[in-house]
Amino acid sequence: AVCSMGNSTSRLYSVLAKTLSSGAVSQQQDSLEQLDSARLDPLDPKDLLEECQIVLQKRPPRFQRNFVNLKKNTASNHRPIRVMQWNILAQALGEGKDNFVQCPMEALKWEERKCLILEEILAYKPDILCLQEVDHYFDTFEPLLSRLGYQCTFFPKPWSPCLDVEHNNGPDGCAMFFLKERFELINSANIRLMAMKLKTNQVAIAQTLKCHETGRLFCIAVTHLKARTGWERFRSAQGCDLLQNLKNITQGAKIPLIVCGDFNAEPTEEVYREFSNSSLNLNSAYKLLSPDGQSEPPYTTWKIRPSGECRHTLDYIWYSQHALNVNSALGLLTEEQIGPNRLPSFNYPSDHLSLVCDFSFNQDPDRLL
């Protein structure tokens, strides 16, 4: 295949390919210096998508997922705000710690897996992108997404498990990206979550944005709570701490709020109930896909480890239900699409599914939250 892209994009991509190839750690400094010179040039998303598809031409095509229209009869006078939530699977953990016994190591190669991740992002074109388990922020996501017009923020875990893996790419953490043409940053807070009065290894980012089109403020937050069974009370404490921080940031819910995250908690857990019953008046957007609007999806992650098959609902997009409307949500992959070997795979780059919602502001800004 012949790429019809301009020189600056091709040059950037070749630099990335060298930087990110295994065994190329010694070249990273020189490559990143080259990236700095290219970073300022705007990048056409179609060109980047074309580059990704060339790299992925030997892999199966992307799964087809459709948006489900959830809009009520309320008219909106502004473009919807598309929010994407995704635990993208840290590269060091995927290759070194997570033991996906049915996933071939070949499917986890970063040179191709990063293109699957980028392809997913480019396909849905989020206005705001919230990611967890990001360990290639500085050499992949920040340089590329900043050139696509996003403002980028990263907050790593203090003691990332990625650092225990040989040839790691640094710590993983949460990352947030928003389109500068649509929003202005009013305030940004990096939050190290507390539990039982102790600082923990889990983090959150909360940013107050002003929508250029409507002039309205809202807060967007991303987090990744403690994993593993047996840590339910710990997650509950982290959730309480995050909610308290968000109450302060939103001035007691005067500012509408969207919270994206891998909570590592099923809907039966206490931390889920805390968010459901909070004075911030939050609802979980993906409940709206169920027939009664009250049930979470059957899964947002599905993998096979040595201990067995793990099928759980852990990922959520919470929103201020009286201040914001959910216009649509991206349907999940079916069991047939996921396949018997589950995730990740040659088709899909992470063990977690991406969640995408379109939001609009309630038309009465004075209505109580």
Side-chain angles (χ1 to χ4, degrees):
V2 177
C3 180
S4 59
M5 295 175 54
N7 287 337
S8 71
T9 305
S10 298
R11 186 170 65 250
L12 175 115
Y13 198 82
S14 66
V15 168
L16 275 177
K18 289 175 187 171
T19 305
L20 301 175
S21 61
S22 54
V25 176
S26 62
Q27 302 172 17
Q28 283 197 5
Q29 192 57 48
D30 291 342
S31 299
L32 288 171
E33 286 171 7
Q34 292 177 54
L35 276 175
D36 282 333
S37 65
R39 185 176 292 169
L40 298 178
D41 299 335
L43 180 58
D44 188 328
K46 292 179 182 175
D47 289 343
L48 181 57
L49 184 58
E50 192 176 324
E51 289 275 14
C52 290
Q53 288 169 344
I54 290 169
V55 173
L56 297 171
Q57 57 191 336
K58 293 183 180 178
R59 289 210 181 201
R62 279 185 67 254
F63 292 125
Q64 182 63 40
R65 297 169 67 185
N66 298 315
F67 280 90
V68 179
N69 185 14
L70 301 167
K71 196 170 181 180
K72 298 168 187 172
N73 294 324
T74 52
S76 173
N77 60 3
H78 68 90
R79 282 185 297 158
I81 297 169
R82 177 163 290 182
V83 176
M84 185 174 188
Q85 146 62 29
W86 199 12
N87 178 333
I88 60 171
L89 174 62
Q91 184 64 21
L93 300 183
E95 287 187 310
K97 280 201 162 194
D98 276 345
N99 296 316
F100 301 119
V101 291
Q102 296 294 95
C103 178
M105 286 301 291
E106 187 74 9
L108 295 172
K109 283 174 55 179
W110 180 242
E111 293 84 347
E112 295 179 9
R113 198 172 79 84
K114 72 172 186 280
C115 289
L116 275 178
I117 295 170
L118 290 168
E119 188 182 44
E120 182 98 344
I121 294 167
L122 291 164
Y124 300 123
K125 305 184 181 95
D127 299 304
I128 302 170
L129 174 62
C130 295
L131 302 180
Q132 299 87 35
E133 291 200 22
V134 179
D135 63 347
H136 276 278
Y137 175 81
F138 293 105
D139 59 14
T140 302
F141 295 105
E142 194 274 341
L144 283 173
L145 292 175
S146 64
R147 292 183 60 202
L148 293 173
Y150 289 92
Q151 184 155 327
C152 313
T153 306
F154 176 62
F155 191 23
K157 293 175 185 169
W159 313 297
S160 167
C162 293
L163 299 176
D164 298 333
V165 178
E166 196 174 1
H167 307 305
N168 67 76
N169 200 65
D172 76 301
C174 291
M176 186 183 293
F177 310 84
F178 67 84
L179 284 177
K180 291 183 284 187
E181 70 172 18
R182 293 213 64 188
F183 312 108
E184 175 190 350
L185 179 63
I186 303 300
N187 181 59
S188 184
N190 287 354
I191 303 164
R192 186 168 169 190
L193 297 176
M194 304 275 289
M196 297 94 173
K197 298 185 179 179
L198 296 173
K199 291 181 179 179
T200 74
N201 193 35
Q202 281 63 46
V203 300
I205 303 168
Q207 297 192 329
T208 304
L209 305 181
K210 182 178 182 180
C211 176
H212 290 316
E213 192 175 341
T214 64
R216 296 187 64 175
L217 297 179
F218 67 101
C219 177
I220 178 84
V222 58
T223 194
H224 188 187
L225 301 187
K226 173 68 181 171
R228 305 285 183 259
T229 55
W231 292 85
E232 291 81 6
R233 287 186 61 204
F234 197 82
R235 278 191 287 275
S236 174
Q238 288 182 327
C240 286
D241 184 56
L242 178 57
L243 285 168
Q244 187 56 55
N245 275 278
L246 294 174
K247 285 172 189 174
N248 295 336
I249 291 168
T250 62
Q251 301 165 30
K254 288 180 182 175
I255 299 171
L257 173 65
I258 300 171
V259 186
C260 296
D262 174 359
F263 279 59
N264 276 307
E266 291 272 11
T268 52
E269 270 198 37
E270 182 63 31
V271 67
Y272 182 93
R273 291 192 290 276
E274 286 160 1
F275 269 73
S276 295
N277 300 327
S278 163
S279 61
L280 292 170
N281 204 350
L282 301 173
N283 192 23
S284 174
Y286 264 72
K287 279 167 50 174
L288 302 179
L289 288 180
S290 65
D292 61 358
Q294 299 298 316
S295 307
E296 292 289 352
Y299 50 84
T300 62
T301 179
W302 201 342
K303 52 206 159 200
I304 300 175
R305 285 178 164 151
S307 57
E309 195 157 342
C310 307
R311 177 181 179 266
H312 300 293
T313 300
L314 306 177
D315 307 89
Y316 307 95
I317 301 179
W318 298 91
Y319 69 101
S320 300
Q321 58 187 327
H322 289 189
L324 297 165
N325 301 310
V326 184
N327 297 1
S328 61
L330 183 65
L332 298 172
L333 292 177
T334 65
E335 180 176 358
E336 183 181 14
Q337 286 175 313
I338 290 172
N341 294 330
R342 309 314 182 198
L343 304 173
S345 66
F346 282 110
N347 298 76
Y348 197 79
S350 176
D351 55 327
H352 289 252
L353 299 177
S354 64
L355 308 182
V356 186
C357 289
D358 289 338
F359 291 97
S360 60
F361 290 107
N362 186 298
Q363 292 311 294
D364 182 2
D366 298 320
R367 182 174 170 182
L368 290 175
L369 296 177

Coordinates of all heavy atoms in Angstrom, one line a residue, residues 75-112:
A75 N -35.3 19.4 22.7 CA -34.5 20.0 21.6 C -33.2 20.5 22.3 O -33.2 20.9 23.4 CB -35.2 21.1 20.9
S76 N -32.1 20.5 21.5 CA -30.8 21.0 22.0 C -30.4 22.1 21.0 O -30.5 21.9 19.8 CB -29.8 19.9 22.0 OG -28.5 20.4 22.3
N77 N -29.9 23.2 21.6 CA -29.4 24.3 20.7 C -27.9 24.3 20.6 O -27.3 25.3 20.2 CB -29.9 25.6 21.3 CG -29.4 25.9 22.7 OD1 -28.6 25.1 23.2 ND2 -29.8 27.0 23.3
H78 N -27.2 23.2 20.9 CA -25.8 23.1 20.7 C -25.4 21.7 20.2 O -26.1 20.7 20.4 CB -25.1 23.5 22.0 CG -25.2 22.5 23.1 ND1 -24.4 21.5 23.3 CD2 -26.1 22.5 24.1 CE1 -24.7 20.8 24.4 NE2 -25.8 21.4 24.8
R79 N -24.2 21.6 19.7 CA -23.7 20.3 19.3 C -23.4 19.5 20.5 O -23.0 20.0 21.6 CB -22.3 20.5 18.6 CG -22.4 20.9 17.1 CD -21.0 21.0 16.5 NE -20.1 21.9 17.2 CZ -18.8 21.9 17.2 NH1 -18.2 20.9 16.6 NH2 -18.1 22.8 17.8
P80 N -23.7 18.2 20.5 CA -23.5 17.4 21.6 C -22.0 17.3 22.0 O -21.1 17.5 21.1 CB -24.0 16.0 21.2 CG -24.1 16.0 19.7 CD -24.3 17.4 19.3
I81 N -21.7 17.0 23.2 CA -20.3 16.8 23.7 C -20.1 15.3 23.8 O -20.7 14.6 24.6 CB -20.1 17.5 25.1 CG1 -20.4 19.0 24.9 CG2 -18.8 17.2 25.6 CD1 -20.5 19.7 26.2
R82 N -19.2 14.8 23.0 CA -18.9 13.4 22.9 C -17.7 13.1 23.9 O -16.6 13.6 23.8 CB -18.5 12.9 21.5 CG -18.2 11.4 21.5 CD -18.2 10.9 20.1 NE -19.6 10.8 19.6 CZ -19.9 10.3 18.4 NH1 -19.0 9.9 17.6 NH2 -21.2 10.2 18.1
V83 N -18.0 12.2 24.8 CA -17.1 11.8 25.9 C -16.7 10.3 25.7 O -17.6 9.5 25.6 CB -17.6 12.0 27.3 CG1 -16.7 11.5 28.4 CG2 -17.9 13.5 27.5
M84 N -15.5 10.0 25.7 CA -15.0 8.6 25.6 C -14.2 8.2 26.8 O -13.3 8.9 27.3 CB -14.1 8.5 24.3 CG -13.6 7.0 24.0 SD -12.7 7.0 22.4 CE -12.5 5.3 22.2
Q85 N -14.6 7.1 27.4 CA -14.0 6.5 28.6 C -13.3 5.1 28.2 O -14.0 4.3 27.6 CB -15.0 6.3 29.7 CG -14.8 5.0 30.6 CD -13.5 5.1 31.4 OE1 -13.0 6.1 31.7 NE2 -13.0 3.9 31.7
W86 N -12.0 4.9 28.6 CA -11.4 3.7 28.1 C -10.2 3.4 29.0 O -9.2 4.2 29.1 CB -11.0 3.8 26.7 CG -10.7 2.5 26.0 CD1 -11.0 1.2 26.4 CD2 -10.1 2.3 24.7 NE1 -10.7 0.3 25.5 CE2 -10.1 1.0 24.4 CE3 -9.6 3.2 23.7 CZ2 -9.6 0.4 23.2 CZ3 -9.1 2.7 22.6 CH2 -9.1 1.4 22.3
N87 N -10.1 2.2 29.5 CA -8.9 1.6 30.1 C -8.2 0.9 28.9 O -8.7 -0.1 28.5 CB -9.2 0.6 31.2 CG -8.0 0.0 31.8 OD1 -7.0 -0.2 31.1 ND2 -8.1 -0.5 33.0
I88 N -7.1 1.5 28.5 CA -6.5 1.0 27.2 C -5.5 -0.2 27.4 O -5.0 -0.7 26.5 CB -5.8 2.1 26.5 CG1 -4.7 2.8 27.3 CG2 -6.8 3.2 26.0 CD1 -3.8 3.7 26.5
L89 N -5.3 -0.6 28.7 CA -4.4 -1.6 29.0 C -2.9 -1.2 28.9 O -2.4 -0.9 27.8 CB -4.6 -2.9 28.2 CG -3.6 -4.0 28.4 CD1 -3.6 -4.6 29.8 CD2 -3.8 -5.2 27.4
A90 N -2.3 -1.0 30.0 CA -0.9 -0.5 30.0 C 0.0 -1.6 29.3 O -0.2 -2.8 29.5 CB -0.3 -0.3 31.4
Q91 N 0.9 -1.1 28.4 CA 1.7 -2.0 27.6 C 2.5 -3.0 28.5 O 2.6 -4.2 28.3 CB 2.6 -1.3 26.6 CG 3.4 -2.1 25.7 CD 2.5 -3.0 24.8 OE1 1.4 -2.6 24.5 NE2 3.1 -4.0 24.2
A92 N 3.1 -2.4 29.5 CA 4.0 -3.2 30.4 C 3.2 -4.3 31.1 O 3.7 -5.4 31.3 CB 4.7 -2.3 31.4
L93 N 1.9 -4.0 31.5 CA 1.1 -5.0 32.2 C 0.6 -6.0 31.2 O 0.6 -7.2 31.5 CB -0.1 -4.3 32.9 CG 0.3 -3.2 33.9 CD1 -1.0 -2.7 34.6 CD2 1.3 -3.8 35.0
G94 N 0.2 -5.6 30.0 CA -0.3 -6.5 29.0 C 0.8 -7.6 28.7 O 0.5 -8.8 28.5
E95 N 2.0 -7.1 28.5 CA 3.1 -8.0 28.1 C 3.7 -8.7 29.3 O 4.2 -9.9 29.2 CB 4.2 -7.3 27.4 CG 3.8 -6.8 26.0 CD 5.0 -6.2 25.2 OE1 5.6 -5.3 25.8 OE2 5.2 -6.6 24.1
G96 N 3.7 -8.1 30.5 CA 4.5 -8.6 31.6 C 3.8 -9.1 32.8 O 4.4 -9.9 33.6
K97 N 2.5 -8.8 33.0 CA 2.0 -9.1 34.3 C 0.6 -9.7 34.3 O 0.1 -10.4 35.2 CB 1.9 -7.9 35.2 CG 3.2 -7.5 35.9 CD 3.0 -6.6 37.1 CE 4.2 -6.7 38.0 NZ 3.9 -6.1 39.4
D98 N -0.2 -9.4 33.2 CA -1.6 -9.7 33.2 C -2.0 -11.1 32.8 O -3.1 -11.6 33.1 CB -2.4 -8.7 32.4 CG -2.7 -7.4 33.1 OD1 -2.6 -7.4 34.4 OD2 -3.1 -6.4 32.5
N99 N -1.1 -11.8 32.2 CA -1.2 -13.2 31.9 C -2.5 -13.6 31.2 O -3.4 -14.3 31.6 CB -1.2 -14.1 33.2 CG 0.2 -14.0 33.9 OD1 1.2 -14.1 33.2 ND2 0.2 -13.8 35.2
F100 N -2.7 -12.9 30.0 CA -3.9 -13.2 29.2 C -3.6 -14.5 28.4 O -3.0 -14.5 27.3 CB -4.2 -12.1 28.2 CG -4.4 -10.8 28.9 CD1 -3.6 -9.7 28.7 CD2 -5.5 -10.7 29.7 CE1 -3.9 -8.5 29.3 CE2 -5.8 -9.5 30.4 CZ -5.0 -8.4 30.1
V101 N -3.9 -15.7 29.0 CA -3.4 -16.9 28.5 C -4.0 -17.3 27.1 O -3.3 -18.1 26.4 CB -3.8 -18.1 29.5 CG1 -3.0 -17.9 30.8 CG2 -5.3 -18.1 29.8
Q102 N -5.1 -16.7 26.7 CA -5.6 -17.0 25.4 C -5.2 -16.0 24.3 O -5.6 -16.1 23.1 CB -7.1 -17.1 25.4 CG -7.7 -18.2 26.3 CD -7.3 -19.6 25.8 OE1 -6.3 -20.2 26.1 NE2 -8.1 -20.1 24.8
C103 N -4.5 -15.0 24.7 CA -4.1 -13.9 23.8 C -2.7 -14.1 23.3 O -1.7 -14.2 24.1 CB -4.2 -12.6 24.4 SG -3.7 -11.2 23.4
P104 N -2.4 -14.3 22.0 CA -1.0 -14.5 21.5 C -0.2 -13.3 21.8 O -0.7 -12.1 21.7 CB -1.2 -14.7 20.0 CG -2.7 -15.0 19.8 CD -3.4 -14.3 20.9
M105 N 1.1 -13.5 22.2 CA 1.9 -12.3 22.5 C 2.1 -11.5 21.2 O 2.2 -10.2 21.3 CB 3.3 -12.8 22.9 CG 3.4 -13.4 24.3 SD 2.9 -12.1 25.6 CE 4.2 -11.0 25.5
E106 N 2.0 -12.0 20.1 CA 2.0 -11.3 18.8 C 1.0 -10.2 18.8 O 1.2 -9.1 18.2 CB 1.9 -12.2 17.6 CG 2.1 -11.6 16.3 CD 3.6 -11.4 16.0 OE1 4.5 -11.8 16.7 OE2 3.9 -10.7 15.0
A107 N -0.2 -10.5 19.3 CA -1.3 -9.5 19.3 C -1.1 -8.3 20.2 O -1.7 -7.3 20.1 CB -2.6 -10.2 19.7
L108 N -0.1 -8.5 21.1 CA 0.2 -7.4 22.1 C 1.3 -6.5 21.7 O 1.7 -5.6 22.4 CB 0.5 -8.0 23.5 CG -0.7 -8.8 24.1 CD1 -0.2 -9.5 25.4 CD2 -1.8 -7.8 24.5
K109 N 1.9 -6.8 20.5 CA 3.1 -5.9 20.1 C 2.6 -4.5 20.0 O 1.6 -4.1 19.4 CB 3.5 -6.4 18.7 CG 4.3 -7.6 18.6 CD 4.6 -8.1 17.2 CE 5.2 -6.9 16.3 NZ 5.5 -7.4 14.9
W110 N 3.4 -3.6 20.7 CA 3.0 -2.2 20.8 C 3.0 -1.5 19.4 O 2.1 -0.7 19.2 CB 4.0 -1.5 21.7 CG 3.6 0.0 21.9 CD1 4.4 1.1 21.5 CD2 2.4 0.5 22.4 NE1 3.7 2.2 21.8 CE2 2.5 1.9 22.4 CE3 1.3 0.0 22.9 CZ2 1.5 2.8 22.8 CZ3 0.2 0.8 23.4 CH2 0.4 2.2 23.3
E111 N 3.9 -1.9 18.5 CA 3.9 -1.2 17.2 C 2.5 -1.3 16.5 O 2.1 -0.4 15.8 CB 5.0 -1.8 16.3 CG 6.4 -1.6 16.8 CD 6.9 -2.6 17.8 OE1 6.0 -3.3 18.4 OE2 8.1 -2.6 18.1
E112 N 1.8 -2.4 16.7 CA 0.5 -2.6 16.1 C -0.6 -2.2 17.1 O -1.6 -1.6 16.7 CB 0.4 -4.0 15.6 CG 1.3 -4.3 14.4 CD 1.2 -5.7 13.9 OE1 0.2 -6.4 14.3 OE2 2.0 -6.1 13.1

